[in-house]
Amino acid sequence: MKVLLIGANGQLGSDLLRVFRTAGHAVVPATHAQMDVCSEDRVSEIMAEAKPDVVLNTAAFHKVEECEKNPALAFQVNCTAAMNLAKACRRSGAVLVHFSTDYVFDGQKNAPYEETDLPSPLNVYGVSKVSGAHLIAVNADRYFVIRTCGLYAIAGSSGKGGNFVENMLKKAMSGEEICVVDDQVLTPTYTTDLAEATRRLILTGKFGLYHLSSEGRCSWYEFARSIFECAGVDAQPKAVKTGDFPSPVKRPSYSVLSKTRLRALGLTIPSWQDALSRYLQERSKKNPLASTAPVHASS
Ligand SMILES: NC(=O)c1ccc[n+]([C@@H]2O[C@H](COP(=O)([O-])OP(=O)(O)OC[C@H]3O[C@@H](n4cnc5c(N)ncnc54)[C@H](OP(=O)(O)O)[C@@H]3O)[C@@H](O)[C@H]2O)c1
């Protein structure tokens, strides 16, 4: 299949590019510099040139604090552009694959969220993503909307300035105090696994809304501890509460996604612990000088 990949040099985009090409698919990568997803004309132009069977849209405005300050831009990128892509895909007969977020939920359920649970976002980012997915459902015939959670990638997040794993390791190296919230529970997800699961999901042809994150759950604090343990870094993070750091942005305290629909198709995804260990191995292969020796951080 021929794939147009939007947001090709982001965290997820970089892994989708590698995974789809390795599997033998022809991928036309489009970076933000090459194509603003908000430009209908540019999207039509690239779609006409590329003639894709599948459009993978990873483009998003997902800095949650910035979304609060600039809701117009959040809606333009996460909602209107998604709707326009859905219409363009329907016109050309392409399948649209769009990524959404665990932040569509408010966290009050305190049990894994099913695809059938009603969204109730707490912030502008979440509202813009729910709206985008809704407009895709209305405007596209053949689509996958994939909600995911806590992404980290070797490529690093251009949108957020690095990923959580790298930020933790950097802080440990600098010896600064590491405070991490233990009252937000999620599932960290390695984009390599998400990219591969996305590829297998597309091949089923069973369109619709899916939850796709690693298996398992942990708090950010537990994740930080596992990062240090797995990397052999002697750092002791300090558990803190969300309320210790007042923020204008509300975040769900629990955003674990149940993968009921994925399993019903006979598909699986590895656990977050397994993924973290492979990420750290991959990272040290890419950069043998990356911290493997224990360092000491104050706590
Ligand atoms: N990161 C997470 O923890 C997380 C969690 C749940 C869901 N998601 C969703 O997963 C998807 C991928 O996230 P990610 O972490 O891979 O993000 P990312 O690393 O920031 O990648 C997003 C890519 O989209 C590009 N982009 C942004 N605005 C664009 C625009 N207007 N037109 C064209 N391209 C644009 C970015 O380019 P520039 O950087 O050059 O602007 C970047 O290459 C998003 O839909 C996000 O909402 C992410």
Side-chain angles (χ1 to χ4, degrees), residues 73-127:
L73 182 59
F75 274 83
Q76 207 182 339
V77 180
N78 299 334
C79 180
T80 311
M83 175 185 74
N84 290 335
L85 262 184
K87 289 179 179 172
C89 285
R90 188 166 64 183
R91 280 195 299 273
S92 72
V95 171
L96 175 59
V97 182
H98 176 83
F99 291 89
S100 185
T101 172
D102 53 326
Y103 274 31
V104 303
F105 296 115
D106 62 15
Q108 294 304 303
K109 185 177 175 189
N110 264 320
Y113 281 98
E114 303 288 341
E115 286 89 351
T116 47
D117 283 324
L118 203 59
S120 176
L122 297 173
N123 53 47
V124 168
Y125 169 63
V127 177

Side-chain angles (χ1 to χ4, degrees), residues 147-166:
R147 288 189 189 132
T148 188
C149 180
L151 299 187
Y152 62 97
I154 294 289
S157 171
S158 48
K160 289 186 172 172
N163 70 43
F164 183 81
V165 183
E166 297 304 326

Side-chain angles (χ1 to χ4, degrees), residues 6-13 30-33 35-38 57-62 73 77-78 81 98-103 125 129 146-152 156-160 191 194 220:
I6 301 173
N9 57 1
Q11 294 198 99
L12 178 56
T31 62
H32 195 171
M35 190 197 89
D36 187 337
V37 76
C38 299
N57 179 33
T58 72
F61 183 40
H62 60 83
L73 182 59
V77 180
N78 299 334
H98 176 83
F99 291 89
S100 185
T101 172
D102 53 326
Y103 274 31
Y125 169 63
K129 293 295 273 190
I146 297 175
R147 288 189 189 132
T148 188
C149 180
L151 299 187
Y152 62 97
S157 171
S158 48
K160 289 186 172 172
T191 50
L194 174 59
W220 286 111

